[in-house]
Amino acid sequence: MSKHERKKQSNEINEETKIDNQKSNEVKTSKTKEQLEIEELLNKNQQLSETIISKDIHITKLQDEINKINQDYVNKITEKANEANITLKAKIEELTNKTNQELAIHKKYALENQAIELINIVNQFAMALDYKPSDPNIAKYQSGFQMFLTMFKNLLTNLGINEILVKVGDEFNPEIMECIEFIHSNDLDNNKVVKVITGGYKLYDRLIKPVVVNVVRKKS
């Protein structure tokens, strides 16, 4: 082989070696890019995982806050419902007691109209017995009728109808008395009862029939 041929062959070998090295470098460069892409993807995946974890923590925190708000709401509603229930029960009890009291009062004074009728009969009977007869036989009858009058008054007492006791000389009291005539005199005490015309009565503590009287009035 001539020197020129050997040189040519050497150049060819060098060229091939250069090409191989270039290819090798390209392969290395290519692998490095793939690794970089993989590493970038891995980094992005790591970042995404951290973001998801952070979001999960935030969601959990928000859920806890929502649960607390819901529980607070339930507690508040329960408290208000209990307060309303207590208030309602108290109001019902108050109305029930008031109704019972009104019914008791109504029942207590239900006899008022009938009582006034009985009182009028008793008063008329008493006025008839106030007559002082000169005949002793009539006086005996009156004694017997006086017993009936006492029985009538006892009956009224048993029904809660009590006579108001007023006598001549008592001070005139407009709360329980009714004056139908003034007796003008300077010899008697002013504003004193001078005559009891008809008796007065109370149904328990309520005045239903005033005592009808004549009262002294000083002459001017």
Side-chain angles (χ1 to χ4, degrees):
M1 180 181 294
S2 66
K3 183 178 180 181
H4 177 74
E5 289 176 347
R6 286 198 300 274
K7 185 176 180 180
K8 183 179 179 181
Q9 186 177 8
S10 176
N11 289 334
E12 288 177 355
I13 291 171
N14 290 335
E15 186 67 25
E16 288 177 358
T17 301
K18 184 178 180 182
I19 291 172
D20 289 339
N21 290 334
Q22 184 177 0
K23 288 182 179 181
S24 178
N25 289 332
E26 288 179 355
V27 170
K28 287 181 180 180
T29 302
S30 175
K31 286 183 179 180
T32 301
K33 286 182 179 179
E34 288 179 358
Q35 288 177 350
L36 289 174
E37 289 177 356
I38 291 172
E39 287 178 358
E40 184 179 358
L41 288 175
L42 289 174
N43 289 333
K44 288 183 178 180
N45 183 59
Q46 180 66 28
Q47 292 176 358
L48 183 60
S49 297
E50 291 175 355
T51 301
I52 291 174
I53 292 172
S54 176
K55 294 293 184 183
D56 286 341
I57 293 173
H58 184 63
I59 290 172
T60 301
K61 183 178 179 181
L62 290 177
Q63 188 62 51
D64 290 340
E65 291 178 357
I66 291 173
N67 291 338
K68 185 178 183 303
I69 292 172
N70 289 339
Q71 187 60 48
D72 290 343
Y73 175 77
V74 170
N75 292 340
K76 197 68 175 177
I77 290 297
T78 302
E79 180 183 352
K80 292 297 182 183
N82 290 336
E83 290 177 357
N85 187 44
I86 293 172
T87 303
L88 183 61
K89 284 184 177 180
K91 182 59 67 175
I92 290 174
E93 184 176 355
E94 178 184 346
L95 291 175
T96 300
N97 292 336
K98 184 177 180 180
T99 300
N100 290 336
Q101 290 174 0
E102 290 178 352
L103 288 174
I105 292 173
H106 178 74
K107 182 179 179 181
K108 183 177 181 180
Y109 298 107
L111 294 175
E112 182 172 349
N113 292 333
Q114 291 83 352
I116 292 174
E117 294 179 5
L118 290 174
I119 289 167
N120 289 334
I121 294 172
V122 170
N123 280 341
Q124 290 173 8
F125 193 45
M127 289 177 65
L129 293 178
D130 279 343
Y131 171 69
K132 304 301 181 184
S134 57
D135 189 332
N137 291 324
I138 296 178
K140 289 181 181 179
Y141 278 112
Q142 278 192 334
S143 297
F145 288 132
Q146 189 69 43
M147 292 174 56
F148 282 111
L149 179 61
T150 301
M151 291 174 60
F152 287 148
K153 289 184 177 181
N154 290 337
L155 174 62
L156 294 178
T157 300
N158 291 336
L159 294 174
I161 306 166
N162 299 302
E163 185 177 10
I164 301 171
L165 299 178
V166 174
K167 62 183 182 297
V168 173
D170 287 348
E171 186 79 17
F172 176 68
N173 182 357
E175 293 184 358
I176 60 172
M177 301 179 193
E178 178 185 357
C179 177
I180 62 171
E181 184 179 359
F182 287 109
I183 306 300
H184 296 281
S185 173
N186 290 328
D187 298 328
L188 301 173
D189 292 334
N190 190 49
N191 207 43
K192 297 292 185 180
V193 173
V194 71
K195 184 178 181 180
V196 177
I197 309 300
T198 58
Y201 289 84
K202 286 184 176 182
L203 179 57
Y204 298 103
D205 56 350
R206 178 185 294 178
L207 178 69
I208 60 174
K209 191 75 172 177
V211 183
V212 179
V213 297
N214 292 343
V215 179
V216 175
R217 176 64 56 85
K218 287 287 187 181
K219 291 182 179 180
S220 57

